[in-house]
Amino acid sequence: METLLWVLVPLLILTLLFFWLQSVRKNNATQMAAAITPERAREASAALTAKQHQEVYKQIAMGQLIPAAQAYHNATKASYKDSIIAVQALSKYPQEFRLEDQLGDFEESYEVPSDLSGLEGLPSNPLDPERRRHDGDSAPEDGSKA
């Protein structure tokens, strides 16, 4: 009888552990599926520069999602779970690189000064052939030396 307990108790524990792991796995799969959306793909794409975007999509195109998630993590410093979700979203909903996403509100926050007085004294472009010097020591137009 005692021998039977030594066999049944571990077997019962292993069975309960198996069913618990199955439920955890099912919950994780449900959460991942809910997190992979087109909005998430747009956010992930906007967080990358052109070079980073190209590197992540190169890994995705080769079917290497873990290296793509590592590249995304290194580029954005997001958590590994967020990086995996972002790469899965980019894989399911491909995004083109958009420079507008990188600029953000730059154009709205940049103000052109209305008063440009005081710029008259700045030197003009020395490579401009029609440059006129204000100091009077320009070379003659005919090419002769004075």
Side-chain angles (χ1 to χ4, degrees):
M1 180 74 177
E2 189 174 315
T3 309
L4 188 62
L5 279 176
W6 283 102
V7 171
L8 288 179
V9 170
L11 196 59
L12 179 65
I13 291 173
L14 288 175
T15 304
L16 291 175
L17 182 64
F18 173 78
F19 285 115
W20 177 75
L21 286 175
Q22 290 296 325
S23 68
V24 168
R25 197 169 140 224
K26 185 177 179 182
N27 287 339
N28 282 343
T30 305
Q31 289 174 354
M32 286 287 284
I36 298 171
T37 62
E39 294 81 23
R40 179 69 176 154
R42 281 191 288 277
E43 291 170 5
S45 179
L48 299 171
T49 65
K51 187 176 181 179
Q52 294 164 343
H53 189 270
Q54 183 180 11
E55 177 63 27
V56 169
Y57 269 104
K58 183 174 105 178
Q59 298 292 335
I60 290 172
M62 292 189 298
Q64 300 178 346
L65 296 181
I66 298 301
Q70 288 174 338
Y72 185 87
H73 169 75
N74 292 337
T76 62
K77 303 301 181 216
S79 70
Y80 285 113
K81 182 179 180 181
D82 290 340
S83 298
I84 291 170
I85 291 171
V87 167
Q88 290 283 350
L90 289 171
S91 178
K92 188 171 183 179
Y93 305 103
Q95 303 291 310
E96 291 183 12
F97 177 75
R98 294 175 28 148
L99 187 58
E100 297 86 29
D101 293 339
Q102 297 295 316
L103 293 177
D105 297 329
F106 175 75
E107 293 174 350
E108 297 171 3
S109 65
Y110 180 74
E111 294 181 24
V112 177
S114 58
D115 182 24
L116 298 178
S117 63
L119 296 178
E120 298 85 21
L122 292 176
S124 61
N125 183 357
L127 301 176
D128 186 5
E130 297 187 22
R131 177 180 143 185
R132 295 189 176 102
R133 293 186 145 184
H134 296 288
D135 57 4
D137 63 348
S138 61
E141 298 273 335
D142 61 0
S144 64
K145 295 189 178 190

